[in-house]
Amino acid sequence: MINKLIRKIFGTRNDRMIKEAMGYVAKVNALEEKMRAMSEEELKGQTNLFKERLKNGETLDDLLPEAFATMREASTRVMGMRHYDVQLIGGYMLHKGRIAEMRTGEGKTLVATLAVYLNALAGKGVHVVTVNDYLARRDAEWMGQVYNYLGLTVGVIVANQSLPEKKAAYEADISYATNNELGFDYLRDNMVFDMSQKVQRPLYFAVIDEVDSILIDEARTPLIISGPVEGGADLYHAVNKLIPNLNRPTKDGPVDFEINEKDKQVNLTEEGHQHLEGLLVEAGLLNEGDSLYDSNNLKLYHHVDNCLRAHYIFQRDVDYIVANDEIVIVDEHTGRTLAGRRWSDGLHQAIEVKEGVEVKPENQTLASITFQNYFRIYEKLSGMTGTADTEAPEFLEIYGLEVVVIPTHREVQRKDYGDLIYLTQKEKYDAIVKDILDCYERKQPVLVGTASVEVSELISDILTAQNIPHEVLNAKQHEREAYVVGRAGTPGAITIATNMAGRGTDIVLGGNVKLEEELFLETNPNATESDLESIRERAKARQKEVLELGGLHIIGTERHESRRIDNQLRGRSGRQGDVGSSRFYLSLDDHLMRIFMNPKMRGIMESLGMGNGEALEHRMITRSIENAQRKVEGHNFDIRKNLLQYDDIANDQRKIVYQQRDDILKAADITNAVKMMREQVFSDLVAKYIPPQSYAEQWDLKGLTEILAKEFRVEIDFEKRLADNPNITEEEIYDAVILESERLYAEKEAQANMSGDPSQFRRFEKSVLLEVLDGQWKEHLAAMDYLRQGIQLRAYGQRRPEQEYKRESFILFEEMLDQIHYKTIRFLSNIVIRVESPAEEVQETLEAPTKREEKVIEGSITNMADLERIADEIGNISEEDGEACPCGSGKPYGECHGAIELTEEEHDLFHVGRNDDCPCGSGAKFKNCHGKL
C-alpha cells in the first residue's frame, strides 16, 4: 500500500528515467530549425567539429543534443526517415548504457543510429550486435548510408572473412557483427602468435539488438573453440544397442528409469542399475562383478547417460533436425537452425548414433568464454528489444543494465483475448484449424506460432488436406524467411512460423512494398516509375482492406516456457498503432501444462463434462499459467547464474593467461622472463631433492643429478662434489645448477646467432613459451571441465560445490603455471643447435616456429605433445657417456639413432641439417635416411 502511494506521488523508476530523457529531447527539438537551415557541407562538417570539441575537453554528454539533432537531420535528408521523440528517448537510454524496450515496429534500427553516432565520435570503435549475418549486413548497408554521409566508416563482421577484411571491419568507426563472431574473434585473438594477427581493438561500446535473445537465451551455452580427440564412436554404438532393452516408464510392470523433463535428465532406478549392468556384462562392456559406478567405469557411465538422454529427452524435429546426414541443432527460442554448433560432452555423438548418421569425433576445449563474461568486458554496454521487462532483474544483477520501457509513438490497439484450454491436443488443434478457416474465409491474414518444427508440420498437413494455401516458416525453410514474412500481412495470407515470426523483419499490413518492388525489378529490369507507383497503390489498397478486417490475427498453439517468447509472437500484430488480435490455444497435454500445472486440473475439467471440444477460459487460469512461466524463467535464470558462478572463477584465470600472452607477444625480448623461470624451476627442483633445513644424510643428490641430466642436459655429479666438499650448502648446489644451465644456454644462443640475426633466437624463445602456455591452458580447461562435472557430489558431504570448485581450480591453476615454467625450460634446455650447420640453415631452423604460428592462425592445433615426446626421447639419452641406442643395435646412441624417427618439421626444431650425414652412421644424408617422412 505504501509502495503504491510512493509510486503515485513520485512515479516509478521508469517514469523518472523517461522524464530525465525528455529534458534532452526538448534540447534536440530546439536545434531542429538550425540543423534544417544548414547546407550539405555544414551538416557533414559537424562530425569533425564534434571530434575537435572532444579533444578540447568536452564530454559526449555535452555533445548529445547537437549530435542527436545532426543525426536526425542527416537521416531525414539521406533516408527520408525522421526520428520521433520516443526514438530520441530510446537513443538517450542506449547512450546511458541501458536497455530500451520498444514495441515491434517502433523503429529500433533507426533508434540505434543516435547513440552509435554519438559514441563513434570518440574514435574507439562502436559495435552494433545482431543475431545473424543477414541482419548485420542488412543494417550496415541500410544505416551505413547516413553514417557515411556524416563522414564515419562502417564495417561488417561475419564468418569466413580473411584476416585483412576482418581487421579493416574492426578498424571502422562503426562495426556491425553477430554476437557469435565477436566472441569467437576474441578467443581467436588470444590464440595468435603475433600481435599483427589480432583483429579486435579494446572493447569500448556495444549496442545489442534483440538483447534478450543474446544475453538471456543464448547465455546458457558458452562459446567454445575446440579440437577433435580420439575414440568414443564404437562405445556409443555398443551402448546405443542396449538402450531399447531397458523397460520404459509405464503404469504397470518394472521401470528401469525415470524421465525428468524439467531438468532434461534420465535417472536409472535401482532395478534399472541391475538390469543395465547385466546387459553391459553380456555385451562385454563391463566385467562380471564390476559396478557401473566404479571409478574406472566412469567413461562407460558417461556414454550410458548420454544415450539415455538422446533417446528420451532430445526429440527429432523439436530439439534438432537431420539434414544432409548431419544432426543440426534447433534453437529452442528462435526456431532457427544453429549450423556448425554441437552439443558438448558427447551428447551430440549419442544423438548421431541414435539417428544413424556419421559420428564425428568428440572435441576438446581449446578456448571458451560465456556471453556474460564477454560482453562485460565492454567499457559500456546497451541493448534494445521488444521484450525485456520480464527479465529486468536478471539484466540488472548480471550485467548492471537497467530496462526502460519506452512509450509507443501511437497507442497499441491490438486485442489480446484470453487463453482457451482444451482437455486433449486433438481438440486444441481442431479449434486452431477452425479459427484459421474463419480468418481465411474473411481474408484476414493469420500468423500461427508453434513451439516446434513437428507442430508446424502437423498443422500444415491438416491445412493441405483441406486445400488451404499457406506458408510454413521453420528451421527447414529459414532461407525463405524474408520473402514469407514480407507476404504475411496480405489479405488471406496464412503463415505458420516456429518461434521466429519475423524476428528482425516487421510484418507490414498489405505486404512489404520494398520487397515487392525488388522482386518486380528482378523480372522487369526496364520497369518505369509508373510501374512502381502502381505497385505502391495496390499495396495501400490491400493495407486498407486488412485494417478493415481487423488487422493481423495471431494464433499461439501453446504457451512457451518464457513469457518473452509469447510476447514476441503477440508483438508481430498491432505495430505502430495498427489494429490486430491474438489468442493462445492450450491443452493439458502441452509441455508446460503437463510439467507445471496442478495435476488435479484434468480431473476438474473431466468432472465438469469437458472433453467434447469445449474450452475453459478464465483469468485465474491464465494467471496460473503465467505463474508457471515465472517458475520456469526463475529455473532458467538459476541455470544461467550457476553457469556464470563457475565461469567467473575461470574468467579470473582467463584474464591472467590472456594478459600474460599479450605481454609475451608485445615484448621484443623475453630473456629476463626465461631467466626468472629458470631460477624458479631449479629452485623448486633443488628444494624437492634437498629439503630446506635438512641434513646432508637426507639429501637425494643422486636423484638430483639424474633428473638434471635427463630433463635439462645439465650434467653435474653432486655426490662427487659432496665427497670433495662435505660442507657444501644447498645454496651452493643451487648456484652451481644455475651457473651451468646458464652457461649451456649461452652457448646455444651464441651458436644460433651465427645466423647474423640475434632477434631470431629471441623470436624462437617467444614461440616456445607461447606453445607451452597454449598447450597447458588447453589441458587446464579439460581438467576444469572434469572437476566441474563431479563437483556437485561434494554437496552430499555438506560442502558448498562453488567453494570447493574455487579452491580446487586455484590449485589446478597454480600447478598449470608451474608446468608452463618447467616445460618451457626443459624444452629450451633440450634444443640442440649444430655448429656445423651453415648460417642460412640455422636461420631457417629458427624460423620454423613462425611457420608453425601461421598454421595455428589458420585453425590447426599446436603440436606441443609431439614436440615434448621428442624432447623426452632426446633428453633421456646421453651421447657423451655412450649409452646404448634404444633401437637394440648394441651401438652407442651417438653412433646410431642420434635423431630418432624425426619428421621434417621435428628435425627443423631439433636442428639436424637435412643435408648432413645421418647420425645413425649409415653414410647417407639425413634426408635420405632417418629424416624420411
Side-chain angles (χ1 to χ4, degrees):
M1 193 72 183
I2 294 171
N3 287 338
K4 284 183 180 179
L5 184 63
I6 291 170
R7 281 198 296 269
K8 195 168 183 179
I9 298 170
F10 299 104
T12 62
R13 168 72 177 159
N14 199 88
D15 295 336
R16 294 195 297 274
M17 287 189 285
I18 296 292
K19 189 176 179 181
E20 170 194 314
M22 286 302 295
Y24 281 91
V25 170
K27 293 178 183 177
V28 176
N29 288 335
L31 292 165
E32 188 162 20
E33 288 302 320
K34 177 186 172 184
M35 294 297 170
R36 196 175 291 163
M38 284 186 179
S39 64
E40 295 282 304
E41 291 70 26
E42 285 175 320
L43 189 62
K44 290 178 180 179
Q46 289 294 102
T47 300
N48 288 331
L49 288 175
F50 293 147
K51 287 181 178 179
E52 280 298 316
R53 287 168 60 182
L54 281 174
K55 285 180 185 176
N56 294 332
E58 289 191 61
T59 66
L60 292 177
D61 284 351
D62 296 332
L63 298 177
L64 188 148
E66 291 166 89
F68 276 25
T70 300
M71 173 50 74
R72 178 195 254 181
E73 181 59 27
S75 175
T76 305
R77 293 188 191 186
V78 176
M79 301 187 294
M81 300 168 75
R82 177 185 174 276
H83 296 79
Y84 300 130
D85 284 0
V86 291
Q87 290 175 317
L88 294 176
I89 295 172
Y92 174 81
M93 296 305 170
L94 294 179
H95 166 65
K96 284 295 184 182
R98 297 167 185 160
I99 292 174
E101 182 186 285
M102 302 183 74
R103 293 291 185 100
T104 301
E106 291 292 304
K108 291 188 288 291
T109 308
L110 189 63
V111 167
T113 59
L114 298 161
V116 168
Y117 173 67
L118 174 60
N119 285 271
L121 296 171
K124 299 179 183 178
V126 174
H127 295 167
V128 184
V129 189
T130 64
V131 290
N132 59 50
D133 288 351
Y134 163 72
L135 290 176
R137 287 195 182 95
R138 186 201 73 175
D139 291 354
E141 186 180 339
W142 188 14
M143 297 298 130
Q145 302 171 70
V146 70
Y147 294 132
N148 293 332
Y149 176 86
L150 290 171
L152 296 177
T153 54
V154 179
V156 184
I157 298 156
V158 291
N160 303 318
Q161 286 176 305
S162 67
L163 187 67
E165 285 175 329
K166 193 157 272 188
K167 285 190 80 169
Y170 275 110
E171 287 298 320
D173 296 311
I174 300 151
S175 306
Y176 282 80
T178 64
N179 51 309
N180 284 337
E181 202 59 23
L182 286 170
F184 281 130
D185 281 340
Y186 172 76
L187 294 176
R188 284 189 285 257
D189 270 0
N190 286 286
M191 296 174 75
V192 302
F193 278 72
D194 195 289
M195 286 299 288
S196 64
Q197 291 162 334
K198 282 198 167 198
V199 295
Q200 287 188 346
R201 293 193 270 173
L203 303 177
Y204 170 56
F205 177 53
V207 176
I208 305 177
D209 194 9
E210 304 294 355
V211 67
D212 53 331
S213 173
I214 292 171
L215 295 189
I216 301 291
D217 297 338
E218 299 207 23
R220 275 190 279 178
T221 309
L223 288 172
I224 295 173
I225 290 180
S226 57
V229 293
E230 293 288 324
D234 292 343
L235 188 53
Y236 274 119
H237 279 290
V239 172
N240 187 67
K241 291 175 184 175
L242 305 180
I243 299 301
N245 297 320
L246 295 175
N247 297 309
R248 295 192 59 171
T250 56
K251 290 182 180 178
D252 305 308
V255 175
D256 285 341
F257 57 88
E258 294 168 348
I259 300 171
N260 183 349
E261 289 183 271
K262 191 174 177 180
D263 295 324
K264 292 197 169 183
Q265 295 295 329
V266 179
N267 303 312
L268 289 167
T269 62
E270 191 63 40
E271 296 82 3
H273 292 154
Q274 295 173 8
H275 187 188
L276 179 60
E277 284 178 355
L279 293 171
L280 290 168
V281 169
E282 286 177 25
L285 300 175
L286 192 67
N287 294 327
E288 187 75 50
D290 278 4
S291 168
L292 185 58
Y293 295 99
D294 286 348
S295 58
N296 57 334
N297 291 324
L298 286 178
K299 185 178 178 183
L300 178 60
Y301 175 74
H302 181 66
H303 281 59
V304 168
D305 183 55
N306 275 332
C307 284
L308 282 168
R309 292 172 68 211
H311 276 267
Y312 300 113
I313 296 293
F314 290 84
Q315 300 175 44
R316 183 171 179 163
D317 289 340
V318 178
D319 300 292
Y320 63 89
I321 61 171
V322 180
N324 301 321
D325 200 38
E326 285 189 355
I327 301 298
V328 184
I329 299 172
V330 175
D331 190 313
E332 64 175 300
H333 299 287
T334 66
R336 284 193 173 90
T337 54
L338 302 174
R341 289 271 197 100
R342 293 176 66 79
W343 282 298
S344 59
D345 294 328
L347 176 61
H348 210 96
Q349 285 75 15
I351 293 173
E352 285 171 330
V353 170
K354 166 193 163 185
E355 294 293 349
V357 303
E358 181 191 354
V359 181
K360 295 182 179 174
E362 288 191 50
N363 291 323
Q364 180 178 12
T365 301
L366 303 180
S368 75
I369 193 169
T370 58
F371 281 122
Q372 290 103 321
N373 275 322
Y374 172 72
F375 282 109
R376 291 195 300 190
I377 298 171
Y378 280 88
E379 199 175 311
K380 185 165 70 171
L381 190 64
S382 65
M384 50 192 184
T385 180
T387 47
D389 198 38
T390 56
E391 313 291 349
E394 181 168 353
F395 280 121
L396 190 60
E397 183 175 342
I398 303 297
Y399 303 98
L401 292 170
E402 283 191 278
V403 175
V404 186
V405 180
I406 310 296
T408 55
H409 179 57
R410 293 193 182 97
E411 194 176 339
V412 178
Q413 296 188 59
R414 186 185 66 244
K415 291 180 181 177
D416 296 325
Y417 296 107
D419 298 350
L420 292 178
I421 303 175
Y422 293 84
L423 197 62
T424 65
Q425 286 197 337
K426 183 184 181 304
E427 291 174 288
K428 179 184 77 171
Y429 291 133
D430 288 344
I432 288 169
V433 172
K434 186 178 177 182
D435 195 355
I436 293 171
L437 290 174
D438 175 59
C439 293
Y440 178 67
E441 287 167 3
R442 295 184 294 103
K443 288 199 169 183
Q444 183 180 9
V446 183
L447 176 66
V448 183
T450 68
S452 67
V453 176
E454 188 179 31
V455 174
S456 67
E457 291 180 344
L458 172 67
I459 293 173
S460 175
D461 291 343
I462 296 171
L463 294 179
T464 301
Q466 299 190 33
N467 295 318
I468 305 297
H470 61 280
E471 289 280 3
V472 179
L473 190 58
N474 59 32
K476 295 181 179 179
Q477 294 96 7
H478 61 87
E479 67 280 353
R480 298 182 64 241
E481 179 175 345
Y483 173 78
V484 173
V485 171
R487 306 266 315 154
T490 56
I494 299 171
T495 310
I496 303 168
T498 306
N499 285 354
M500 56 193 297
R503 182 181 283 268
T505 310
D506 288 342
I507 296 176
V508 182
L509 298 188
N512 190 318
V513 183
K514 286 187 180 178
L515 182 65
E516 207 168 330
E517 287 177 2
E518 287 170 11
L519 293 172
F520 183 77
L521 289 169
E522 282 178 17
T523 52
N524 302 277
N526 299 320
T528 63
E529 183 58 32
S530 175
D531 295 329
L532 297 177
E533 187 58 36
S534 64
I535 289 173
R536 293 172 201 137
E537 289 300 323
R538 286 198 297 272
K540 282 181 185 175
R542 288 197 303 268
Q543 185 181 41
K544 185 181 177 184
E545 181 185 352
V546 171
L547 286 169
E548 289 171 354
L549 290 166
L552 180 67
H553 181 51
I554 303 291
I555 295 176
T557 57
E558 64 181 273
R559 284 282 196 169
H560 197 274
E561 287 183 353
S562 170
R563 288 170 295 162
R564 283 183 304 105
I565 308 300
D566 292 342
N567 292 340
Q568 283 168 6
L569 178 61
R570 274 194 168 130
R572 297 297 139 201
S573 176
R575 62 186 288 279
Q576 294 188 359
D578 289 342
V579 292
S581 56
S582 71
R583 168 91 79 181
F584 278 85
Y585 290 83
L586 315 175
S587 83
L588 296 188
D589 295 326
D590 291 350
H591 177 76
L592 185 75
M593 304 286 282
R594 193 176 64 250
I595 296 173
F596 291 100
M597 284 294 285
N598 190 323
K600 295 178 182 177
M601 178 64 74
R602 184 179 294 274
I604 293 169
M605 291 182 70
E606 287 174 346
S607 66
L608 292 172
M610 298 181 67
N612 298 313
E614 294 180 59
L616 193 63
E617 179 182 3
H618 198 282
R619 271 182 299 176
M620 187 175 72
I621 295 173
T622 304
R623 277 200 302 272
S624 67
I625 292 168
E626 288 179 354
N627 287 334
Q629 288 176 309
R630 284 193 183 92
K631 286 180 189 174
V632 182
E633 287 164 4
H635 177 67
N636 290 338
F637 177 33
D638 289 340
I639 292 173
R640 291 188 291 269
K641 194 173 177 182
N642 187 52
L643 170 70
L644 189 61
Q645 280 180 329
Y646 287 101
D647 193 62
D648 278 345
I649 297 165
N651 196 48
D652 292 337
Q653 299 176 359
R654 186 187 300 115
K655 285 177 183 175
I656 293 169
V657 170
Y658 286 177
Q659 184 59 54
Q660 285 193 356
R661 245 187 147 274
D662 276 354
D663 291 344
I664 296 166
L665 288 171
K666 290 172 185 174
D669 186 338
I670 62 165
T671 306
N672 288 335
V674 172
K675 186 174 185 295
M676 288 172 65
M677 284 184 201
R678 187 183 295 113
E679 290 171 355
Q680 182 65 50
V681 167
F682 289 132
S683 173
D684 292 344
L685 206 60
V686 170
K688 180 180 177 183
Y689 289 89
I690 304 176
Q693 299 179 343
S694 60
Y695 296 106
E697 293 79 14
Q698 297 171 289
W699 296 356
D700 182 5
L701 294 179
K702 184 181 179 183
L704 179 61
T705 300
E706 287 176 354
I707 195 75
L708 287 170
K710 178 182 174 183
E711 294 279 287
F712 303 98
R713 291 186 175 236
V714 175
E715 299 190 1
I716 306 172
D717 189 343
F718 284 111
E719 287 182 306
K720 185 175 181 301
R721 289 204 177 194
L722 180 63
D724 294 342
N725 178 15
N727 296 320
I728 194 170
T729 64
E730 60 189 88
E731 288 81 7
E732 289 173 321
I733 290 174
Y734 167 73
D735 291 341
V737 174
I738 289 292
L739 281 171
E740 179 63 9
S741 65
E742 287 183 345
R743 183 188 68 78
L744 292 170
Y745 197 68
E747 282 182 6
K748 291 179 186 183
E749 190 175 337
Q751 291 166 354
N753 288 345
M754 287 175 60
S755 68
D757 183 4
S759 67
Q760 289 288 337
F761 192 75
R762 300 278 79 91
R763 292 189 68 228
F764 179 77
E765 285 178 320
K766 282 175 64 172
S767 296
V768 169
L769 179 53
L770 285 169
E771 282 205 8
V772 173
L773 186 149
D774 288 348
Q776 291 305 120
W777 177 239
K778 177 183 74 175
E779 296 302 320
H780 178 69
L781 289 174
M784 293 277 279
D785 281 344
Y786 288 127
L787 174 63
R788 189 178 160 194
Q789 285 173 19
I791 205 72
Q792 297 299 330
L793 298 174
R794 305 285 176 92
Y796 292 112
Q798 305 300 312
R799 287 180 288 179
R800 288 183 61 192
E802 298 89 352
Q803 290 298 324
E804 291 290 298
Y805 181 79
K806 189 173 186 177
R807 182 178 62 81
E808 294 207 16
S809 66
F810 180 73
I811 294 169
L812 287 173
F813 188 67
E814 283 195 318
E815 289 174 358
M816 181 200 76
L817 294 177
D818 290 341
Q819 282 297 305
I820 289 171
H821 296 167
Y822 188 92
K823 290 190 175 183
T824 300
I825 297 305
R826 187 185 72 174
F827 193 88
L828 290 172
S829 298
N830 279 286
I831 294 298
V832 178
I833 298 176
R834 297 192 181 277
V835 181
E836 65 269 24
S837 297
E840 61 270 16
E841 191 165 320
V842 173
Q843 182 159 344
E844 184 183 334
T845 297
L846 292 172
E847 285 174 351
T850 310
K851 292 170 185 172
R852 273 199 325 284
E853 292 163 17
E854 291 165 3
K855 290 183 181 179
V856 172
I857 301 311
E858 291 166 8
S860 302
I861 299 171
T862 59
N863 57 350
M864 203 61 227
D866 292 333
L867 300 182
E868 287 173 4
R869 173 179 57 79
I870 302 299
D872 284 342
E873 289 170 354
I874 291 177
N876 287 339
I877 301 167
S878 170
E879 294 185 42
E880 285 72 24
D881 64 6
E883 188 173 339
C885 184
C887 73
S889 66
K891 294 181 182 179
Y893 171 78
E895 296 175 15
C896 189
H897 289 67
I900 299 173
E901 298 292 337
L902 296 182
T903 66
E904 282 198 59
E905 185 178 16
E906 290 163 345
H907 85 65
D908 276 342
L909 292 169
F910 291 100
H911 312 293
V912 180
R914 287 184 44 109
N915 294 311
D916 290 355
D917 289 341
C918 188
C920 74
S922 66
K925 289 185 177 181
F926 176 77
K927 66 182 180 183
N928 296 322
C929 189
H930 285 82
K932 281 186 177 180
L933 293 176

